[in-house]
Amino acid sequence: MSGMMHIRTAGMYTSIQDLGRFGYARYGVPRSGAMDQAAAKWANLLVGNTATLAVLEWTMLPPVVQFSEPTMIAITGAVCTPYLDGVLCAMNQRIRVQKGSVLRLKNVIKGVYGYIGIHGGFDVPMCLQSRSFYKGITTTHVVSKGNQLPYTAYTEGQAAFAKLSSVCFSGDIAVLDCYQGIEYDLLPAALQTQLKHDTFVISDKRDRMAIQIEGELRNTLPSMISAPVLSGTVQLTPSGTLLVLMRDCQTTGGYPRVLQLSTQAMNVIAQKRTGMTIRFRIQTLV
Amino acid sequence: MKSVFEYIPYAEDAILIRTTDKIMPFICYQLLAYKQVIEEKYAKAIIEVVQSYNSLLVVYKCVIEDFYTIVSALQSLEVSLSVMPTTARRLWEIPVCYEKELVPEIEAFAMLKSMTISEVVALHTAPLYTVYFIGFLPGFMYLGGLDAALATPRKATPNLQVPKGSVAIGGQQTGIYPSPSPAGWHVMGRSPVTFFEVANEPPCFVQSGDQIQLVSINEQQYHAIHQLAAAGVYVPKSTVI
């Protein structure tokens, strides 16, 4: 039986995401996908899904949602206090949802991106082999008040008392593991030292495309001809800012690629709020 | 012989193959041929190979365990400059309207270049442009071959939004915006063609290595083709090259 998750309050930049749209970069299509992929995977695995199904992602300000049919959900990512029909429940654990239940997430104390996983995943239309919202690819790029997100009702399955420990929140790590970017060798030694040892601050210029880092790394690197980039690529702009490309980034770019974040570090930086500090730890890939 | 290709680890699951730092059609064809061989041989292991002017980014499905093993496997597939891509490359005729009634910006552009509108149109429609790759926006073609006389530095203040199909010049490059977009380039024409359609597989009819011939059309023709394109029944003329 098909159920609907009714959006009573949309929250901020709330969207459907899976792990992304693979194989379309050759047509200029961004990969997209959940900003904190570890949290999105947990949201799926906790309710018995494969890790790749579509979950709901919210940003700083969570939505209020109502379920038309029974199912099982899990809340992961940004740390908050969930209430189901006014009753306190836990994050990182299976939650049984009844017909008509209302879920509110309060007191977002840590992190930026939160996830709601649902048994069977959200059944929104697949576009280019992914359900991840992206402007120009899917019909909408955010959910709005009044939207209905389809899922399949689920009445079996036991509520489980086992839960993941809070260690599964990505954002607590202060040091980001990364690798030398393709243009790292072009940096003067002083800038390489700065990248290795300085502490950097997350700026307020941040979205699903990129996170800008405060500070100025004065450089005279020549501009380069456009070349491929991936999420996790850290670009150095002519004005000296570091730009960490995130899931919705373009497929090619023209700024020097000085670092590449590890898969895990991308999840970590996604959960860092404006004003928080990070350091880079450069590892070798080979 | 020493290989022209350089292999650099890019991420846990990606390797960059880099060649000469030049924008030349023969490099594009060589990279395209190499890309096709890799895709054929490693279809099951890779997500895709992303091409740009002078590099291929090979993205694997799994974390690369041993970089050197993977690189020597890739090296055994290297193609020489004389090898041409296996798939047919096409020459597409793309209609563009340069009339000032539809694209008022062309007057300012012609003035900037101290040319008449018809001189601008003649220079812009003369070359056979090479599609180096698609990037920046879904369906945006990086075209090479702009007449140096039309090269114009990017605008100091970008336009907040230009309409879908806007044809523009920025620096040494020319391009067509496949969707409404902010634009730092000088708009001087508009094409009625749909370059990216999410419902199609593949979503773009043009591919790296293809060529583009721009054909000047009048405003009536623009509207007629635009209507067909909007209904999804317009395919530009093309020939195999």
Side-chain angles (χ1 to χ4, degrees):
Chain A
M1 190 167 171
S2 74
M4 286 289 178
M5 187 171 96
H6 175 78
I7 306 290
R8 305 234 316 216
T9 310
M12 198 162 78
Y13 209 100
T14 304
S15 66
I16 292 286
Q17 298 292 336
D18 50 24
L19 298 184
R21 196 164 271 114
F22 296 92
Y24 293 93
R26 72 187 66 191
Y27 304 115
V29 179
R31 201 182 271 187
S32 303
M35 288 289 277
D36 178 351
Q37 304 231 325
K41 287 177 185 172
W42 282 124
N44 273 321
L45 296 174
L46 280 163
V47 294
N49 294 344
T50 54
T52 54
L53 296 190
V55 299
L56 190 73
E57 176 182 277
W58 51 268
T59 313
M60 297 295 285
L61 195 64
V64 176
V65 299
Q66 183 166 25
F67 300 85
S68 74
E69 294 298 329
T71 184
M72 205 153 58
I73 61 167
I75 294 147
T76 63
V79 180
C80 61
T81 317
Y83 291 88
L84 189 69
D85 295 323
V87 179
L88 176 70
C89 48
M91 284 189 67
N92 305 313
Q93 185 176 357
R94 280 182 180 185
I95 303 171
R96 256 242 153 272
V97 164
Q98 305 305 327
K99 188 183 176 86
S101 286
V102 175
L103 177 72
R104 280 172 214 276
L105 308 174
K106 294 186 178 168
N107 309 325
V108 185
I109 53 164
K110 261 206 296 197
V112 177
Y113 295 98
Y115 296 89
I116 303 174
I118 194 162
H119 184 85
F122 289 100
D123 195 18
V124 298
M126 191 86 128
C127 292
L128 302 178
Q129 299 182 52
S130 165
R131 294 188 165 85
S132 290
F133 280 14
Y134 183 78
K135 208 173 193 166
I137 303 291
T138 50
T139 48
T140 171
H141 68 293
V142 286
V143 302
S144 325
K145 186 185 169 97
N147 282 172
Q148 308 269 3
L149 301 172
Y151 63 90
T152 304
Y154 181 71
T155 49
E156 289 139 56
Q158 298 293 309
F161 297 101
K163 67 189 284 267
L164 296 170
S165 75
S166 57
V167 188
C168 66
F169 174 68
S170 308
D172 286 335
I173 299 163
V175 181
L176 302 180
D177 281 327
C178 57
Y179 313 105
Q180 295 186 0
I182 300 295
E183 277 73 44
Y184 179 84
D185 288 339
L186 300 181
L187 293 171
L191 277 189
Q192 292 184 355
T193 310
Q194 256 185 292
L195 276 181
K196 280 183 209 156
H197 301 293
D198 277 13
T199 298
F200 295 94
V201 179
I202 306 284
S203 82
D204 60 354
K205 295 190 185 67
R206 51 165 311 145
D207 56 22
R208 288 189 42 88
M209 276 180 81
I211 296 175
Q212 198 171 310
I213 287 171
E214 279 180 14
E216 198 183 328
L217 294 170
R218 292 228 184 119
N219 69 92
T220 50
L221 290 188
S223 69
M224 42 175 267
I225 59 177
S226 294
V229 293
L230 291 175
S231 56
T233 299
V234 184
Q235 296 178 318
L236 179 60
T237 68
S239 62
T241 48
L242 289 174
L243 211 52
V244 183
L245 300 184
M246 298 303 289
R247 310 289 177 186
D248 278 354
C249 70
Q250 291 170 6
T251 54
T252 54
Y255 295 136
R257 299 157 288 183
V258 295
L259 295 173
Q260 177 68 32
L261 296 190
S262 71
T263 309
Q264 185 222 24
M266 273 183 263
N267 301 327
V268 175
I269 198 168
Q271 295 291 12
K272 294 283 183 196
R273 292 186 177 181
T274 298
M276 292 181 115
T277 56
I278 51 159
R279 283 194 306 116
F280 296 110
R281 179 167 54 206
I282 303 179
Q283 312 272 29
T284 49
L285 259 176
V286 177
Chain B
M1 199 186 91
K2 195 177 168 294
S3 163
V4 295
F5 297 107
E6 208 187 334
Y7 296 80
I8 313 166
Y10 191 104
E12 288 141 329
D13 55 358
I15 290 176
L16 189 86
I17 306 175
R18 190 161 65 178
T19 178
T20 326
D21 193 11
K22 293 246 163 52
I23 302 180
M24 305 286 261
F26 73 86
I27 296 174
C28 173
Y29 305 145
Q30 186 188 23
L31 285 174
L32 183 60
Y34 193 6
K35 174 180 129 148
Q36 287 171 346
V37 182
I38 298 170
E39 283 175 337
E40 215 167 285
K41 178 91 179 178
Y42 292 107
K44 288 198 174 123
I46 59 173
I47 290 173
E48 69 178 325
V49 183
V50 187
Q51 184 175 354
S52 69
Y53 289 117
N54 72 333
S55 54
L56 296 176
L57 182 63
V58 188
V59 185
Y60 289 83
K61 286 179 183 164
C62 299
V63 167
I64 296 162
E65 296 286 349
D66 181 0
F67 176 76
Y68 295 104
T69 311
I70 297 275
V71 167
S72 52
L74 289 170
Q75 277 172 327
S76 71
L77 302 177
E78 279 186 14
V79 295
S80 70
L81 270 179
S82 54
V83 176
M84 287 305 274
T86 50
T87 52
R89 294 184 304 117
R90 303 191 83 88
L91 166 63
W92 299 91
E93 278 182 37
I94 302 297
V96 176
C97 177
Y98 296 93
E99 292 193 346
K100 60 177 190 278
E101 288 73 20
L102 188 74
V103 192
E105 298 94 327
I106 190 159
E107 282 194 300
F109 183 78
M111 197 122 70
L112 193 68
K113 303 307 297 178
S114 313
M115 290 181 196
T116 63
I117 292 180
S118 45
E119 283 168 341
V120 170
V121 174
L123 284 176
H124 200 243
T125 51
L128 278 186
Y129 296 102
T130 302
V131 180
Y132 282 92
F133 59 97
I134 296 168
F136 168 53
L137 288 171
F140 184 90
M141 303 175 286
Y142 280 81
L143 298 178
L146 180 70
D147 192 308
L150 288 177
T152 313
R154 292 168 189 217
K155 288 184 152 186
T157 330
N159 281 351
L160 282 181
Q161 178 145 311
V162 299
K164 173 183 168 180
S166 290
V167 178
I169 288 175
Q172 309 283 334
Q173 293 178 292
T174 189
I176 306 172
Y177 289 89
S179 52
S181 161
W185 292 11
H186 300 267
V187 173
M188 32 82 76
R190 198 182 309 166
S191 174
V193 176
T194 298
F195 289 93
F196 183 86
E197 175 49 62
V198 75
N200 295 348
E201 182 65 47
C204 300
F205 58 85
V206 179
Q207 300 205 350
S208 330
D210 284 358
Q211 287 189 318
I212 300 286
Q213 171 78 69
L214 300 178
V215 180
S216 171
I217 55 168
N218 65 32
E219 206 188 342
Q220 285 81 10
Q221 290 169 308
Y222 172 88
H223 290 298
I225 298 173
H226 187 263
Q227 224 166 20
L228 294 174
V233 292
Y234 179 80
V235 182
K237 270 188 233 159
S238 72
T239 44
V240 173
I241 42 178

